[in-house]
Coordinates of all heavy atoms in Angstrom, one line a residue:
M1 N 4.4 -11.4 13.4 CA 4.4 -10.9 12.0 C 3.2 -10.2 11.9 O 2.2 -10.6 12.1 CB 4.5 -12.2 11.1 CG 4.9 -11.9 9.6 SD 5.1 -13.5 8.6 CE 6.9 -13.7 8.9
P2 N 3.4 -8.9 11.2 CA 2.2 -8.1 11.0 C 1.3 -8.7 10.0 O 1.7 -9.6 9.1 CB 2.9 -6.8 10.5 CG 4.2 -6.8 10.7 CD 4.7 -8.3 10.8
K3 N 0.0 -8.4 10.1 CA -1.0 -8.8 9.1 C -1.6 -7.7 8.3 O -1.7 -6.6 8.8 CB -2.1 -9.6 9.8 CG -1.7 -10.7 10.5 CD -2.9 -11.5 11.1 CE -2.4 -12.7 11.9 NZ -1.7 -13.6 11.3
V4 N -1.7 -7.9 7.0 CA -2.4 -6.8 6.2 C -3.8 -7.5 5.8 O -3.7 -8.6 5.2 CB -1.5 -6.5 5.0 CG1 -2.5 -5.5 4.1 CG2 -0.3 -5.8 5.5
K5 N -4.9 -6.8 6.0 CA -6.1 -7.1 5.5 C -6.4 -6.3 4.2 O -6.3 -5.1 4.1 CB -7.2 -6.9 6.6 CG -8.6 -7.3 5.9 CD -9.7 -7.1 7.0 CE -11.1 -7.5 6.4 NZ -12.2 -7.4 7.5
I6 N -6.8 -7.1 3.2 CA -7.0 -6.5 2.0 C -8.5 -6.3 1.8 O -9.2 -7.5 1.7 CB -6.4 -7.2 0.7 CG1 -4.9 -7.3 0.9 CG2 -6.8 -6.6 -0.6 CD1 -4.4 -8.5 1.2
S7 N -9.1 -5.1 1.8 CA -10.6 -5.0 1.7 C -11.1 -5.4 0.5 O -12.3 -5.6 0.5 CB -10.9 -3.6 2.1 OG -10.6 -2.7 1.1
N8 N -10.5 -5.3 -0.6 CA -11.1 -5.6 -1.9 C -11.5 -7.1 -1.9 O -12.6 -7.4 -2.6 CB -10.0 -5.6 -3.0 CG -9.1 -4.3 -3.1 OD1 -8.5 -4.0 -2.1 ND2 -9.6 -3.4 -3.9
N9 N -10.9 -8.0 -1.3 CA -11.3 -9.4 -1.4 C -11.5 -10.1 0.1 O -11.6 -11.3 0.1 CB -10.3 -10.2 -2.2 CG -8.9 -10.2 -1.7 OD1 -8.7 -9.7 -0.7 ND2 -8.1 -10.9 -2.4
D10 N -11.3 -9.3 1.1 CA -11.4 -9.7 2.5 C -10.4 -10.7 2.8 O -10.6 -11.4 3.9 CB -12.8 -10.2 2.7 CG -13.7 -9.2 3.5 OD1 -13.1 -8.3 4.0 OD2 -14.8 -9.6 3.6
E11 N -9.3 -10.6 2.1 CA -8.2 -11.6 2.4 C -7.2 -10.9 3.5 O -6.9 -9.8 3.4 CB -7.4 -12.0 1.1 CG -6.7 -13.3 1.4 CD -6.0 -13.8 0.0 OE1 -6.7 -13.4 -1.0 OE2 -5.0 -14.3 -0.1
T12 N -6.7 -11.8 4.3 CA -5.6 -11.3 5.3 C -4.4 -12.1 5.1 O -4.5 -13.3 5.1 CB -6.1 -11.4 6.7 OG1 -7.3 -10.7 6.8 CG2 -5.1 -10.9 7.8
I13 N -3.3 -11.4 5.0 CA -1.9 -12.2 4.9 C -1.0 -11.7 5.8 O -1.0 -10.5 6.3 CB -1.3 -11.9 3.3 CG1 -1.1 -10.4 3.2 CG2 -2.3 -12.4 2.3 CD1 -0.4 -10.0 1.8
D14 N -0.1 -12.6 6.2 CA 1.1 -12.2 6.9 C 2.1 -11.6 6.1 O 2.3 -12.0 4.9 CB 1.6 -13.5 7.6 CG 0.7 -14.1 8.7 OD1 0.0 -13.4 9.3 OD2 0.8 -15.4 8.8
I15 N 2.7 -10.6 6.7 CA 3.8 -10.0 5.8 C 5.0 -9.8 6.5 O 5.2 -9.7 7.8 CB 3.3 -8.5 5.2 CG1 3.1 -7.5 6.4 CG2 2.0 -8.7 4.5 CD1 3.2 -6.3 5.9
N16 N 6.2 -9.8 5.8 CA 7.5 -9.6 6.3 C 7.6 -8.1 6.4 O 7.6 -7.4 5.3 CB 8.4 -10.2 5.3 CG 9.8 -10.0 5.8 OD1 10.1 -9.2 6.6 ND2 10.8 -10.7 5.2
P17 N 7.9 -7.6 7.5 CA 8.1 -6.2 7.7 C 9.2 -5.4 7.1 O 9.4 -4.3 6.9 CB 8.2 -5.8 9.2 CG 8.5 -7.1 9.8 CD 7.9 -8.3 8.9
M18 N 10.2 -6.4 6.6 CA 11.5 -5.9 6.0 C 11.2 -5.7 4.5 O 12.1 -5.3 3.9 CB 12.6 -7.0 6.3 CG 12.9 -7.2 7.7 SD 13.2 -5.6 8.6 CE 14.9 -5.3 8.1
V19 N 10.1 -6.1 4.1 CA 9.8 -6.2 2.5 C 8.7 -5.3 2.3 O 7.8 -5.2 3.2 CB 9.6 -7.6 2.1 CG1 9.2 -7.6 0.6 CG2 10.7 -8.5 2.4
S20 N 8.7 -4.6 1.1 CA 7.6 -3.6 0.9 C 6.3 -4.3 0.8 O 6.2 -5.5 0.5 CB 7.9 -2.9 -0.4 OG 7.7 -3.9 -1.5
F21 N 5.2 -3.5 0.9 CA 3.8 -4.1 0.7 C 3.7 -4.9 -0.7 O 3.2 -5.8 -0.8 CB 2.7 -2.9 0.7 CG 2.4 -2.5 2.1 CD1 1.7 -1.3 2.1 CD2 2.9 -3.0 3.1 CE1 1.4 -0.7 3.2 CE2 2.5 -2.5 4.4 CZ 1.6 -1.4 4.4
L22 N 4.3 -4.1 -1.6 CA 4.2 -4.5 -2.9 C 4.6 -6.0 -3.1 O 4.1 -6.9 -3.7 CB 4.9 -3.7 -4.2 CG 4.8 -4.2 -5.5 CD1 3.4 -4.2 -6.1 CD2 5.7 -3.4 -6.5
N23 N 5.9 -6.2 -2.7 CA 6.6 -7.5 -2.7 C 5.8 -8.4 -1.9 O 5.5 -9.6 -2.3 CB 8.0 -7.4 -2.4 CG 8.8 -6.8 -3.5 OD1 8.4 -7.0 -4.7 ND2 9.9 -6.2 -3.1
N24 N 5.4 -8.1 -0.7 CA 4.5 -9.0 0.1 C 3.2 -9.4 -0.6 O 2.9 -10.6 -0.5 CB 4.2 -8.3 1.5 CG 5.3 -8.5 2.5 OD1 5.6 -9.8 3.1 ND2 5.9 -7.4 2.8
L25 N 2.6 -8.5 -1.1 CA 1.4 -8.7 -1.9 C 1.6 -9.7 -3.1 O 0.8 -10.7 -3.2 CB 0.7 -7.4 -2.4 CG 0.2 -6.6 -1.2 CD1 -0.1 -5.2 -1.8 CD2 -1.1 -7.2 -0.6
L26 N 2.6 -9.4 -3.9 CA 2.9 -10.3 -5.0 C 3.3 -11.7 -4.6 O 2.9 -12.7 -5.2 CB 4.1 -9.6 -5.9 CG 3.6 -8.3 -6.5 CD1 4.8 -7.7 -7.1 CD2 2.7 -8.6 -7.6
I27 N 4.1 -11.8 -3.5 CA 4.5 -13.0 -3.0 C 3.3 -13.9 -2.5 O 3.3 -15.2 -2.8 CB 5.4 -12.9 -1.7 CG1 6.8 -12.4 -2.3 CG2 5.5 -14.4 -1.0 CD1 7.6 -11.9 -1.1
N28 N 2.2 -13.2 -2.1 CA 1.0 -13.9 -1.7 C -0.1 -14.0 -2.7 O -1.2 -14.2 -2.5 CB 0.5 -13.2 -0.4 CG 1.1 -13.5 0.7 OD1 1.0 -14.5 1.4 ND2 2.1 -12.6 1.2
N29 N 0.4 -13.7 -4.1 CA -0.5 -13.8 -5.2 C -1.7 -13.0 -5.1 O -2.7 -13.2 -5.7 CB -1.0 -15.3 -5.5 CG 0.2 -16.1 -5.8 OD1 1.1 -15.8 -6.6 ND2 0.2 -17.3 -5.1
I30 N -1.5 -11.7 -4.5 CA -2.5 -10.7 -4.4 C -2.5 -9.9 -5.8 O -1.4 -9.4 -6.0 CB -2.5 -9.7 -3.2 CG1 -2.4 -10.6 -2.0 CG2 -3.5 -8.8 -3.3 CD1 -3.8 -11.5 -1.7
P31 N -3.5 -9.8 -6.5 CA -3.4 -9.1 -7.8 C -3.3 -7.6 -7.8 O -4.3 -6.9 -7.8 CB -4.6 -9.5 -8.6 CG -5.6 -9.7 -7.5 CD -4.8 -10.2 -6.3
I32 N -2.2 -7.0 -7.7 CA -1.9 -5.6 -7.7 C -1.2 -5.2 -8.9 O -0.3 -6.0 -9.3 CB -1.3 -5.2 -6.4 CG1 -1.0 -3.7 -6.2 CG2 0.1 -5.9 -6.2 CD1 -0.6 -3.1 -5.0
E33 N -1.4 -4.1 -9.5 CA -0.7 -3.7 -10.7 C 0.7 -3.0 -10.3 O 0.8 -2.4 -9.3 CB -1.5 -2.6 -11.5 CG -2.5 -3.2 -12.5 CD -3.0 -2.1 -13.3 OE1 -2.3 -1.4 -14.2 OE2 -4.2 -1.8 -13.3
T34 N 1.6 -3.3 -11.2 CA 3.0 -2.8 -11.2 C 3.5 -2.7 -12.6 O 3.4 -3.7 -13.3 CB 3.9 -3.3 -10.1 OG1 5.2 -2.7 -10.4 CG2 4.0 -4.8 -10.4
I35 N 3.9 -1.6 -13.0 CA 4.6 -1.5 -14.2 C 6.1 -1.2 -14.1 O 6.9 -1.8 -14.9 CB 4.1 -0.3 -15.1 CG1 2.6 -0.6 -15.6 CG2 5.0 0.1 -16.3 CD1 1.9 0.4 -16.2
C36 N 6.5 -0.4 -13.1 CA 7.9 -0.1 -12.9 C 8.6 -1.0 -12.0 O 9.8 -1.0 -11.8 CB 8.0 1.4 -12.3 SG 7.5 1.5 -10.6
G37 N 7.9 -2.0 -11.6 CA 8.7 -3.0 -10.7 C 9.0 -2.5 -9.3 O 10.1 -3.0 -8.7
G38 N 8.3 -1.4 -8.9 CA 8.7 -1.0 -7.5 C 9.7 0.3 -7.3 O 10.2 0.4 -6.4
R39 N 9.8 1.1 -8.4 CA 10.7 2.1 -8.4 C 10.1 3.4 -8.2 O 10.6 4.5 -8.5 CB 11.6 2.1 -9.6 CG 12.5 1.0 -9.7 CD 13.2 0.9 -11.0 NE 12.5 0.6 -12.1 CZ 12.6 1.0 -13.3 NH1 13.6 1.8 -13.5 NH2 11.8 0.7 -14.3
A40 N 8.8 3.5 -7.7 CA 8.0 4.8 -7.5 C 7.9 5.6 -8.7 O 7.9 6.8 -8.6 CB 8.7 5.6 -6.4
I41 N 7.8 4.9 -9.9 CA 7.7 5.6 -11.1 C 6.2 5.6 -11.7 O 5.7 6.6 -12.1 CB 8.7 5.1 -12.2 CG1 10.0 5.4 -11.6 CG2 8.4 5.7 -13.6 CD1 11.2 4.7 -12.6
C42 N 5.6 4.4 -11.7 CA 4.4 4.3 -12.5 C 3.1 4.6 -11.7 O 2.1 5.0 -12.2 CB 4.2 2.8 -12.9 SG 4.0 1.6 -11.6
G43 N 3.2 4.7 -10.2 CA 2.0 4.9 -9.5 C 1.0 3.9 -9.4 O -0.1 4.1 -8.8
K44 N 1.0 2.8 -10.2 CA 0.0 1.8 -10.3 C -0.2 1.0 -9.0 O -1.2 0.4 -8.8 CB 0.5 0.8 -11.3 CG 0.5 1.2 -12.8 CD -1.0 1.7 -13.2 CE -1.1 2.1 -14.5 NZ -2.4 2.6 -15.0
C45 N 0.8 1.0 -8.0 CA 0.6 0.2 -6.8 C 0.0 1.0 -5.7 O 0.1 0.5 -4.6 CB 2.1 -0.3 -6.3 SG 3.1 1.1 -5.8
V46 N -0.7 2.0 -6.0 CA -1.2 2.8 -5.0 C -2.2 2.1 -4.2 O -3.0 1.4 -4.7 CB -1.7 4.2 -5.5 CG1 -3.0 4.0 -6.4 CG2 -2.1 5.2 -4.3
V47 N -2.1 2.2 -2.8 CA -3.2 1.6 -1.8 C -3.6 2.8 -1.0 O -3.0 3.7 -0.7 CB -2.5 0.5 -1.1 CG1 -2.1 -0.6 -2.0 CG2 -1.3 0.9 -0.2
K48 N -4.9 2.5 -0.5 CA -5.5 3.3 0.4 C -5.4 2.6 1.8 O -5.8 1.6 1.9 CB -7.1 3.6 0.1 CG -7.9 4.6 0.8 CD -9.1 4.7 0.2 CE -10.0 5.8 0.9 NZ -11.4 6.0 0.3
I49 N -4.9 3.4 2.7 CA -4.6 2.9 4.1 C -6.0 3.2 4.9 O -6.2 4.3 5.2 CB -3.5 3.4 4.9 CG1 -2.2 3.4 3.9 CG2 -3.2 2.6 6.2 CD1 -1.8 1.9 3.4
L50 N -6.7 2.1 5.2 CA -8.0 2.3 5.8 C -7.8 2.2 7.3 O -8.7 2.8 8.0 CB -9.0 1.2 5.3 CG -9.2 1.1 3.9 CD1 -10.1 0.0 3.5 CD2 -9.9 2.4 3.3
R51 N -6.8 1.4 7.7 CA -6.6 1.3 9.3 C -5.1 1.1 9.5 O -4.5 0.3 8.8 CB -7.4 0.2 9.8 CG -7.4 0.1 11.4 CD -8.2 -1.1 11.8 NE -7.8 -2.4 11.2 CZ -6.9 -3.1 11.9 NH1 -6.3 -2.7 12.9 NH2 -6.6 -4.2 11.3
G52 N -4.6 1.8 10.5 CA -3.1 1.5 10.8 C -2.0 2.4 10.1 O -0.9 2.1 10.3
K53 N -2.5 3.5 9.8 CA -1.5 4.5 9.0 C -0.5 4.9 10.0 O 0.7 5.2 9.4 CB -2.3 5.8 8.5 CG -2.9 6.6 9.4 CD -3.7 7.7 8.7 CE -4.2 8.5 9.8 NZ -5.2 9.4 9.3
E54 N -0.7 4.9 11.2 CA 0.4 5.3 12.2 C 1.5 4.3 12.3 O 2.6 4.6 12.9 CB -0.1 5.5 13.6 CG -0.8 4.5 14.3 CD -2.4 4.2 13.8 OE1 -2.7 4.5 12.8 OE2 -3.1 3.5 14.7
Y55 N 1.3 3.2 11.7 CA 2.4 2.1 11.9 C 3.3 2.0 10.6 O 4.2 1.1 10.6 CB 1.7 0.6 12.0 CG 0.8 0.7 13.3 CD1 -0.6 0.1 13.1 CD2 1.3 1.1 14.5 CE1 -1.4 0.0 14.3 CE2 0.4 1.0 15.6 CZ -0.9 0.5 15.5 OH -1.8 0.5 16.5
L56 N 3.0 2.9 9.7 CA 3.8 2.8 8.4 C 5.1 3.4 8.5 O 5.3 4.4 9.2 CB 2.9 3.4 7.3 CG 1.4 2.8 7.0 CD1 0.8 3.6 5.9 CD2 1.5 1.3 6.8
S57 N 5.9 3.0 7.5 CA 7.3 3.7 7.4 C 7.0 5.2 6.9 O 5.8 5.4 6.4 CB 8.1 2.9 6.2 OG 7.4 2.8 5.2
S58 N 7.9 6.0 7.2 CA 7.7 7.4 6.8 C 7.7 7.6 5.3 O 8.3 6.9 4.5 CB 8.8 8.4 7.5 OG 10.0 7.8 6.9
L59 N 7.0 8.7 4.8 CA 6.8 9.1 3.6 C 8.1 9.7 3.0 O 8.5 10.7 3.7 CB 5.6 10.0 3.4 CG 5.1 10.4 2.1 CD1 4.6 9.2 1.3 CD2 4.1 11.4 2.1
K60 N 8.7 9.1 2.1 CA 10.0 9.8 1.5 C 9.6 10.7 0.2 O 8.5 10.5 -0.2 CB 11.0 8.8 1.0 CG 11.3 7.8 2.2 CD 12.6 7.0 1.9 CE 13.1 6.3 3.1 NZ 12.5 5.0 3.3
E61 N 10.5 11.7 -0.1 CA 10.3 12.5 -1.1 C 9.8 12.0 -2.4 O 8.8 12.5 -3.1 CB 11.4 13.5 -1.4 CG 11.1 14.6 -2.1 CD 12.2 15.7 -2.2 OE1 13.2 15.5 -1.5 OE2 12.2 16.5 -3.2
I62 N 10.4 10.9 -2.9 CA 10.2 10.3 -4.2 C 8.7 9.8 -4.2 O 8.0 9.9 -5.2 CB 11.1 9.1 -4.6 CG1 11.0 8.8 -6.0 CG2 11.1 8.1 -3.6 CD1 12.0 7.9 -6.5
E63 N 8.2 9.0 -3.1 CA 6.9 8.7 -3.0 C 5.8 9.8 -2.8 O 4.9 9.9 -3.5 CB 6.6 7.9 -1.8 CG 5.4 7.2 -1.5 CD 5.0 6.4 -0.3 OE1 6.0 6.3 0.7 OE2 4.0 5.8 -0.1
S64 N 6.2 10.9 -2.1 CA 5.3 12.0 -2.0 C 5.1 12.7 -3.4 O 4.0 13.0 -3.7 CB 6.0 13.0 -1.0 OG 5.2 14.2 -0.9
M65 N 6.3 12.8 -4.1 CA 6.1 13.5 -5.4 C 5.2 12.6 -6.4 O 4.4 13.2 -7.2 CB 7.4 13.5 -6.1 CG 8.5 14.6 -5.4 SD 9.9 14.8 -5.9 CE 9.9 14.5 -7.7
R66 N 5.4 11.2 -6.3 CA 4.6 10.4 -7.1 C 3.1 10.4 -6.9 O 2.2 10.6 -7.5 CB 5.2 8.9 -7.1 CG 4.3 8.0 -8.1 CD 4.3 8.5 -9.5 NE 5.7 8.5 -9.9 CZ 6.1 9.7 -10.8 NH1 5.1 10.5 -11.2 NH2 7.4 9.7 -11.2
L67 N 2.9 10.5 -5.5 CA 1.4 10.5 -5.1 C 0.8 11.8 -5.6 O -0.4 11.8 -6.0 CB 1.4 10.3 -3.5 CG 1.6 8.9 -3.1 CD1 1.8 9.0 -1.5 CD2 0.5 8.0 -3.4
K68 N 1.5 12.9 -5.4 CA 0.9 14.2 -5.9 C 0.6 14.1 -7.3 O -0.5 14.7 -7.8 CB 2.0 15.3 -5.6 CG 1.9 15.7 -4.1 CD 2.8 16.9 -3.8 CE 2.9 17.1 -2.4 NZ 4.2 17.8 -1.9
S69 N 1.4 13.4 -8.1 CA 1.3 13.5 -9.5 C 0.0 12.6 -10.0 O -0.5 12.8 -11.0 CB 2.5 12.9 -10.2 OG 2.5 11.5 -10.2
L70 N -0.5 11.9 -9.1 CA -1.6 11.0 -9.2 C -3.0 11.6 -9.1 O -4.0 11.2 -9.6 CB -1.7 9.8 -8.5 CG -0.3 8.8 -8.6 CD1 -0.4 7.6 -7.6 CD2 -0.3 8.2 -10.0
N71 N -3.0 12.8 -8.6 CA -4.2 13.8 -8.4 C -5.3 12.9 -7.8 O -6.4 12.9 -8.3 CB -4.5 14.3 -9.8 CG -3.5 15.3 -10.2 OD1 -3.1 16.1 -9.4 ND2 -3.3 15.4 -11.6
L72 N -5.1 12.1 -6.7 CA -6.0 11.3 -6.0 C -7.0 12.3 -5.3 O -6.5 13.3 -4.8 CB -5.4 10.4 -5.2 CG -4.5 9.4 -5.8 CD1 -3.5 8.6 -4.9 CD2 -5.2 8.2 -6.6
D73 N -8.2 11.9 -5.2 CA -9.2 12.5 -4.3 C -8.8 12.5 -2.8 O -8.1 11.4 -2.4 CB -10.6 11.9 -4.3 CG -11.2 12.2 -5.9 OD1 -10.7 13.1 -6.4 OD2 -12.0 11.3 -6.2
V74 N -8.8 13.5 -2.1 CA -8.5 13.6 -0.6 C -9.7 12.7 -0.1 O -10.7 12.9 -0.1 CB -8.6 14.9 -0.1 CG1 -8.4 14.8 1.5 CG2 -7.5 15.8 -0.8
P75 N -9.2 11.6 0.6 CA -10.2 10.8 1.2 C -11.0 11.3 2.3 O -10.5 12.2 3.1 CB -9.3 9.5 1.9 CG -8.1 9.7 1.3 CD -7.8 11.0 0.9
E76 N -12.3 11.3 2.3 CA -13.2 11.8 3.4 C -13.1 11.2 4.8 O -13.5 11.8 5.8 CB -14.7 11.7 3.0 CG -14.9 12.5 1.7 CD -16.3 12.2 1.1 OE1 -17.1 11.4 1.7 OE2 -16.5 12.7 0.0
D77 N -12.5 10.0 4.8 CA -12.5 9.1 6.0 C -11.2 9.1 6.8 O -10.8 8.3 7.5 CB -13.1 7.8 5.7 CG -12.0 7.3 4.5 OD1 -11.1 7.8 4.1 OD2 -12.3 6.0 4.0
K78 N -10.3 10.2 6.5 CA -9.0 10.2 7.0 C -8.1 9.2 6.7 O -7.1 8.9 7.2 CB -9.2 10.3 8.6 CG -9.9 11.6 9.1 CD -10.0 11.7 10.6 CE -10.6 12.9 11.0 NZ -10.9 13.1 12.4
A79 N -8.4 8.4 5.7 CA -7.6 7.5 5.1 C -6.4 8.2 4.5 O -6.5 9.4 4.2 CB -8.3 6.4 4.2
V80 N -5.3 7.4 4.0 CA -4.2 8.0 3.4 C -3.8 7.1 2.2 O -4.1 5.9 2.2 CB -3.0 8.3 4.3 CG1 -3.2 9.3 5.3 CG2 -2.4 7.1 4.8
Y81 N -3.3 7.7 1.2 CA -2.7 6.9 0.1 C -1.2 6.7 0.2 O -0.5 7.6 0.7 CB -3.0 7.6 -1.3 CG -4.5 7.6 -1.6 CD1 -5.2 8.9 -1.5 CD2 -5.1 6.4 -2.1 CE1 -6.6 8.8 -1.9 CE2 -6.5 6.5 -2.4 CZ -7.1 7.7 -2.3 OH -8.5 7.8 -2.6
R82 N -0.8 5.6 -0.1 CA 0.6 5.2 -0.2 C 1.0 4.3 -1.4 O 0.0 3.7 -1.8 CB 1.1 4.5 1.1 CG 0.8 5.2 2.4 CD 1.8 6.4 2.5 NE 3.3 6.2 2.5 CZ 4.0 5.8 3.6 NH1 3.5 6.0 4.8 NH2 5.3 5.6 3.5
L83 N 2.2 4.5 -1.8 CA 2.6 3.5 -2.8 C 3.0 2.1 -2.2 O 3.9 2.2 -1.3 CB 3.9 4.1 -3.6 CG 3.6 5.4 -4.4 CD1 4.8 5.8 -5.1 CD2 2.4 5.2 -5.4
A84 N 2.5 1.1 -2.5 CA 2.8 -0.2 -1.9 C 4.3 -0.6 -2.1 O 4.9 -1.2 -1.2 CB 2.0 -1.3 -2.6
C85 N 4.9 -0.1 -3.2 CA 6.3 -0.5 -3.4 C 7.2 0.4 -2.5 O 8.5 0.0 -2.4 CB 6.7 -0.1 -4.8 SG 6.6 1.5 -5.4
Q86 N 6.8 1.4 -1.9 CA 7.7 2.3 -1.0 C 7.4 2.1 0.5 O 7.9 3.0 1.4 CB 7.5 3.8 -1.4 CG 7.9 3.9 -2.9 CD 9.3 3.6 -3.1 OE1 10.3 4.0 -2.6 NE2 9.4 2.7 -4.2
T87 N 6.3 1.3 0.9 CA 5.9 1.2 2.3 C 6.0 0.0 2.9 O 5.9 -1.1 2.4 CB 4.4 1.7 2.1 OG1 4.1 2.8 1.4 CG2 3.6 1.8 3.4
H88 N 6.3 0.0 4.2 CA 6.5 -1.1 5.1 C 5.6 -0.9 6.3 O 5.3 0.4 6.6 CB 7.9 -1.3 5.6 CG 8.9 -1.3 4.4 ND1 9.6 -2.5 4.3 CD2 9.3 -0.5 3.4 CE1 10.4 -2.4 3.2 NE2 10.2 -1.2 2.7
T89 N 5.2 -1.9 7.0 CA 4.6 -1.6 8.2 C 5.1 -2.5 9.4 O 5.7 -3.6 9.1 CB 3.0 -1.9 8.2 OG1 2.3 -1.7 9.4 CG2 2.7 -3.4 7.8
R90 N 5.0 -2.2 10.7 CA 5.5 -2.9 11.7 C 4.2 -3.6 12.5 O 4.4 -4.2 13.5 CB 6.3 -2.1 12.7 CG 5.7 -0.8 13.2 CD 6.7 -0.1 14.0 NE 6.1 0.9 14.9 CZ 5.7 2.1 14.4 NH1 5.9 2.4 13.2 NH2 5.1 2.9 15.2
R91 N 3.0 -3.2 12.2 CA 1.8 -3.7 12.8 C 0.7 -3.9 11.9 O 0.7 -3.7 10.7 CB 1.3 -2.6 13.9 CG 2.3 -2.1 14.8 CD 2.4 -3.1 16.1 NE 1.3 -3.0 16.9 CZ 1.1 -2.2 18.0 NH1 1.9 -1.3 18.2 NH2 0.1 -2.4 18.6
D92 N -0.4 -4.5 12.4 CA -1.5 -4.9 11.5 C -2.1 -3.6 10.8 O -2.4 -2.6 11.6 CB -2.6 -5.7 12.3 CG -2.0 -6.9 12.8 OD1 -0.8 -7.4 12.5 OD2 -2.8 -7.7 13.5
I93 N -2.5 -3.7 9.6 CA -3.2 -2.7 9.0 C -4.2 -3.2 8.1 O -4.3 -4.5 7.7 CB -2.2 -1.8 8.2 CG1 -1.6 -2.5 7.0 CG2 -1.2 -1.1 9.1 CD1 -0.9 -1.6 6.1
T94 N -5.1 -2.3 7.5 CA -6.1 -2.7 6.5 C -5.9 -1.8 5.3 O -5.7 -0.5 5.5 CB -7.5 -2.6 7.1 OG1 -7.7 -3.3 8.3 CG2 -8.6 -2.9 6.0
I95 N -6.0 -2.3 4.2 CA -5.7 -1.5 2.9 C -6.8 -1.9 1.9 O -7.4 -2.8 1.9 CB -4.4 -1.8 2.3 CG1 -4.3 -3.2 1.8 CG2 -3.3 -1.5 3.3 CD1 -3.0 -3.4 1.0
E96 N -6.9 -0.9 1.0 CA -7.7 -1.1 -0.3 C -6.8 -0.9 -1.5 O -6.0 0.2 -1.5 CB -9.0 0.0 -0.4 CG -9.6 -0.2 -1.7 CD -10.7 0.9 -1.9 OE1 -11.0 1.7 -0.9 OE2 -11.2 1.1 -3.0
I97 N -6.7 -1.9 -2.3 CA -5.8 -1.7 -3.5 C -6.5 -1.0 -4.6 O -7.7 -1.4 -5.0 CB -5.4 -3.0 -3.9 CG1 -4.5 -3.9 -2.9 CG2 -4.6 -3.0 -5.2 CD1 -4.3 -5.2 -3.2
I98 N -6.1 0.2 -5.0 CA -6.8 1.0 -5.9 C -6.9 0.4 -7.3 O -7.9 0.3 -8.0 CB -6.2 2.4 -6.0 CG1 -6.1 3.0 -4.7 CG2 -7.0 3.3 -7.1 CD1 -7.5 3.2 -4.0
N99 N -5.7 -0.3 -7.8 CA -5.8 -0.9 -9.0 C -5.7 -2.4 -8.8 O -4.7 -3.2 -9.2 CB -4.4 -0.5 -9.8 CG -4.6 0.9 -10.2 OD1 -5.6 1.5 -10.8 ND2 -3.5 1.8 -9.9
F100 N -6.8 -2.9 -8.2 CA -7.0 -4.3 -7.9 C -7.4 -5.1 -9.2 O -8.3 -4.6 -9.7 CB -8.0 -4.6 -6.8 CG -8.1 -5.9 -6.3 CD1 -7.2 -6.4 -5.5 CD2 -9.3 -6.6 -6.6 CE1 -7.3 -7.8 -4.9 CE2 -9.3 -8.1 -6.2 CZ -8.6 -8.4 -5.3
K101 N -6.7 -6.0 -9.5 CA -6.9 -6.8 -10.7 C -7.6 -8.1 -10.6 O -7.8 -8.9 -11.5 CB -5.5 -7.2 -11.5 CG -4.7 -6.0 -11.8 CD -3.5 -6.3 -12.6 CE -2.7 -7.3 -12.0 NZ -1.4 -7.5 -12.8
G102 N -8.3 -8.2 -9.5 CA -9.1 -9.4 -9.2 C -10.5 -9.5 -9.9 O -10.9 -8.6 -10.5
Ligands
FES1 S1 5.3 -0.2 -8.5 FE1 5.4 1.5 -9.7 S2 5.2 3.0 -8.4 FE2 5.0 1.3 -7.1

């Protein structure tokens, strides 16, 4: 089972690769914001992928459009932004939750 390390609080959780990051984080009581409930509308679930971006599910048009609308700074460290509600992983990764509520 893949693991996700959350840099905000140094917690590592096992995740179900068949379920989105957002649902895996919520199931594990990780405080991430969502308004739209995972429909790629609100953009609140954005995460920065610090390690393992090559293991992620591919970027779909709806996610790409929402990410562009958020006008995020381009990371200097080759990290990428993804919407937790639209992303799955098959291997271990490290993320930073941008709207961490902890
Ligand atoms: S939860 Fe709203 S865009 Fe992901």
